[in-house]
Amino acid sequence: MIYVECAAQGSLPVKFLEQQGRDYTLIDGVTEAPNDKSTIIVCKKRDLFCHPCPATKIYRCCNYYTADVMEGCPFDCSYCILQAYLEHKNIQVSADLDSIRQSIREIDHGSVKVRMGTGELSDSLALDNIIPYTKMLIPQINDSKNIQFEFKTKSANIANLLELNPHNVVVSWSLNPEYIINSQEHGTASLSKRLEAAKSCAEAGYRVAFHFDPVIYYDSWEKDYMALVEMLVNTVPEQSVEYISISTFRATTKLVERMRLRHLPPSYLQGDFIQGLDGKMRYFKPLRRMMIDKVYSSLKYYWRDVFIYLCMEHASVWESVLGFDPGEREELERLFPLFF
Amino acid sequence: MFRHSSVNKRQDKLLDYANTKKLPHNTLLIASRLNASYLIEYIDVEKPSMQQFKKFVETVTDFQITAEHYKREEFLALTERRSAVHIKVDMFLKALNAKGISVNSANNFETNDLRWSFSTSSLRDLEKICEALEEAKATLDELYDDLR
């Protein structure tokens, strides 16, 4: 069900809805709409749209920027941080395209090359057939001098992308074995659909990226992740891959509480966890180092030249698996192979 | 009718415990979804502190334990979370402990800063500690390697 705040009438996202002939209900404010994942609300709220991704100095982070154009996700992944981070379950879409574009423009006018994406508070493409942010943002991104823009997804919703110019755009997929997708990533595209979508985007000239995040420990994890890597390398051409991230499951106390309150708490909570230096629950370090090493080595076996980084991991794990400590934010960011 | 009153009795008992121990709201919420008689038996047998009860509720939830009756040994056997690599570290530290050397990590082994402690009352005691460390050298090297 789609709702539109009265103040958002006439905005570009609403015009797209009208062009598609979609019904919507007008409301005065977001509190009038149901608070569930099947509800989309186009709203006028102003916010700081583009900002550096929150990071910690304790674990190594890159200098990624997030563009918060949408809050909430139609998918229902058991480990998703949004369960703890957002106060609402519905999907709130910003109608204020002018401010979003201005926010991107301001960053583009700086002197630093920036990677930015919309996948932090939502899935970048899950609703692109309804609210086509790709169409609204990519023409501006194509002209940008300093921004490489990432659309991060667990969907196969790429129809709009195939009609747009891929210049300065990276399309990325979060990947997990089919077992995890089926049991924990409710509503998302199957692994083969994600990989086929990545292949199509690569053929259309897009740079593609992959996130092995979160890598989850379970009985057959090693065999399943190795099979996943094989499927990936057999489907997507190496030369189209911009980067790959790896990180194991981690969660704040609040998120773990939310997970325990789910109808079926995920069985991977039975894992070997400790409280990390940032207070988050993480796998015991030698265990996660081993997990990361297996996935990293397997990827490097097939794709020697692809840039692989670890997301929010300790410098010692970087040293142990990749052989070096990348340093803090800007230092790590400089290692990324920006294609422009 | 009997069943109804026994269910109420269990809930009352759980609520009494929650009030007395000032259980956090979320713990109570998670507990309310578990088997009440299992929780009550645990409270009766173990007389847990609030923290112990919280941990218990979390563990029962994570392991999706649906048993009616609480039995300590069965519970402990079901809840072994440690991975092989963690058990290996534990066993090594236990072996050192048996030789009078205690090793602690202030941050759950997230860094390789370990606190070593032992006490000696003679040079011979100290020599024994050194010998034990010498014997364990290869494993120690491996441990630091794992933590590095």
Side-chain angles (χ1 to χ4, degrees):
Chain A
M1 191 70 181
I2 303 171
Y3 294 82
V4 172
E5 260 187 351
C6 290
Q9 272 186 296
S11 64
L12 196 52
V14 177
K15 282 180 186 160
F16 273 111
L17 291 176
E18 287 165 352
Q19 270 176 23
Q20 299 167 53
R22 290 189 187 272
D23 290 334
Y24 60 81
T25 305
L26 277 175
I27 51 173
D28 287 326
V30 291
T31 51
E32 287 176 34
N35 188 19
D36 59 50
K37 280 179 169 284
S38 60
T39 296
I40 301 169
I41 311 166
V42 183
C43 48
K44 188 67 184 169
K45 71 176 173 184
R46 291 184 64 91
D47 213 335
L48 177 63
F49 289 110
C50 302
H51 55 88
C53 178
T56 162
K57 283 193 171 184
I58 302 166
Y59 294 95
R60 294 300 186 218
C61 287
C62 58
N63 208 25
Y64 193 76
Y65 274 64
T66 69
D68 300 338
V69 299
M70 210 184 293
E71 277 187 8
C73 180
F75 300 148
D76 188 23
C77 300
S78 65
Y79 52 75
C80 180
I81 184 63
L82 296 183
Q83 296 170 84
Y85 189 72
L86 296 179
E87 297 298 325
H88 54 87
K89 286 182 183 165
N90 51 32
I91 300 140
Q92 300 184 6
V93 178
S94 178
D96 194 357
L97 250 292
D98 288 341
S99 296
I100 293 168
R101 286 172 170 160
Q102 179 57 26
S103 188
I104 293 172
R105 203 172 297 124
E106 280 165 14
I107 290 166
D108 191 32
H109 284 173
S111 56
V112 183
K113 306 270 187 212
V114 166
R115 290 181 309 116
M116 183 189 287
T118 51
E120 187 81 358
L121 296 183
S122 188
D123 182 288
S124 299
L125 299 177
L127 297 175
D128 207 54
N129 55 322
I130 302 170
I131 309 283
Y133 265 113
T134 48
K135 286 183 180 176
M136 292 185 261
L137 295 178
I138 286 181
Q140 180 184 359
I141 300 300
N142 291 154
D143 293 335
S144 107
K145 300 278 181 292
N146 288 314
I147 293 175
Q148 185 187 77
F149 204 92
E150 178 179 6
F151 291 93
K152 191 190 291 186
T153 190
K154 288 191 181 102
S155 78
N157 210 356
I158 56 164
N160 290 334
L161 284 172
L162 300 181
E163 293 170 4
L164 292 159
N165 180 349
H167 186 59
N168 292 343
V169 179
V170 173
V171 193
S172 70
W173 280 265
S174 299
L175 297 181
N176 249 315
E178 201 73 69
Y179 168 75
I180 294 291
I181 292 175
N182 290 337
S183 59
Q184 309 298 338
E185 298 181 352
H186 309 291
T188 63
S190 67
L191 177 59
S192 55
K193 281 190 176 159
R194 290 183 209 181
L195 294 179
E196 283 304 320
K199 185 183 175 191
S200 301
C201 282
E203 285 167 357
Y206 285 95
R207 302 291 294 168
V208 293
F210 301 97
H211 301 283
F212 285 74
D213 188 356
V215 176
I216 291 175
Y217 188 89
Y218 58 97
D219 282 348
S220 59
W221 76 273
E222 191 176 339
K223 181 172 70 70
D224 289 1
Y225 278 95
M226 298 308 104
L228 162 57
V229 169
E230 271 195 42
M231 262 180 94
L232 170 63
V233 301
N234 288 331
T235 311
V236 178
E238 178 180 7
Q239 60 273 21
S240 299
V241 182
E242 187 68 1
Y243 46 76
I244 295 176
S245 76
I246 307 173
S247 196
T248 52
F249 170 69
R250 61 223 176 266
T252 60
T253 310
K254 192 174 173 188
L255 174 58
V256 176
E257 258 177 10
R258 292 288 160 94
M259 293 167 84
R260 288 186 173 125
L261 285 167
R262 289 179 75 93
H263 172 58
L264 273 175
S267 56
Y268 58 82
L269 284 180
Q270 295 164 15
D272 184 1
F273 296 108
I274 51 97
Q275 190 176 38
L277 297 166
D278 56 356
K280 284 184 187 170
M281 193 173 96
R282 292 162 180 270
Y283 290 116
F284 181 56
K285 194 169 93 175
L287 173 64
R288 65 177 199 269
R289 192 196 68 164
M290 182 264 286
M291 293 166 72
I292 290 170
D293 190 43
K294 294 271 184 198
V295 177
Y296 177 82
S297 305
S298 171
L299 284 163
K300 278 291 177 184
Y301 176 78
Y302 297 104
W303 284 348
R304 278 183 55 192
D305 298 326
V306 169
F307 178 67
I308 300 178
Y309 69 101
L310 310 183
C311 183
M312 295 189 84
E313 192 44 86
H314 196 264
S316 58
V317 177
W318 271 86
E319 281 174 353
S320 170
V321 178
L322 285 90
F324 68 101
D325 171 9
E328 283 178 26
R329 301 195 71 143
E330 290 82 1
E331 294 164 299
L332 167 52
E333 191 63 33
R334 275 199 287 273
L335 302 176
F336 277 82
L338 292 173
F339 60 71
F340 49 30
Chain B
M1 192 64 189
F2 170 75
R3 182 173 168 72
H4 179 69
S5 70
S6 104
V7 168
N8 279 347
K9 221 171 167 180
R10 283 202 296 262
Q11 282 170 347
D12 288 348
K13 202 163 180 184
L14 203 53
L15 282 174
D16 281 349
Y17 176 80
N19 286 330
T20 314
K21 297 288 182 182
K22 297 188 171 43
L23 282 186
H25 176 71
N26 277 345
T27 303
L28 194 57
L29 210 58
I30 299 169
S32 70
R33 302 156 66 124
L34 302 173
N35 188 323
S37 60
Y38 191 77
L39 295 180
I40 297 294
E41 285 189 18
Y42 170 73
I43 292 169
D44 286 344
V45 173
E46 306 288 357
K47 313 271 185 294
S49 66
M50 186 269 273
Q51 278 305 328
Q52 285 168 329
F53 184 76
K54 185 170 182 279
K55 190 84 199 150
F56 178 78
V57 164
E58 290 169 359
T59 306
V60 173
T61 304
D62 294 352
F63 283 85
Q64 295 160 24
I65 296 172
T66 53
E68 278 281 320
H69 302 289
Y70 170 74
K71 286 180 188 141
R72 181 184 292 167
E73 293 71 26
E74 281 178 12
F75 174 72
L76 291 176
L78 273 171
T79 58
E80 183 46 72
R81 288 171 186 247
R82 302 212 154 183
S83 56
V85 64
H86 204 159
I87 291 167
K88 195 176 114 191
V89 170
D90 280 350
M91 281 170 66
F92 173 60
L93 298 182
K94 209 173 159 186
L96 282 176
N97 202 264
K99 292 179 178 174
I101 304 165
S102 136
V103 187
N104 285 304
S105 164
N107 53 38
N108 297 314
F109 297 95
E110 278 295 277
T111 68
N112 55 2
D113 298 321
L114 301 178
R115 186 177 297 122
W116 296 76
S117 54
F118 48 83
S119 35
T120 58
S121 49
S122 68
L123 183 59
R124 181 62 202 133
D125 285 353
L126 191 57
E127 280 174 353
K128 278 185 186 167
I129 297 289
C130 292
E131 283 163 14
L133 289 174
E134 182 65 31
E135 275 170 29
K137 204 174 163 188
T139 321
L140 271 173
D141 199 32
E142 212 176 298
L143 172 68
Y144 273 118
D145 209 35
D146 273 343
L147 301 179
R148 201 175 56 216

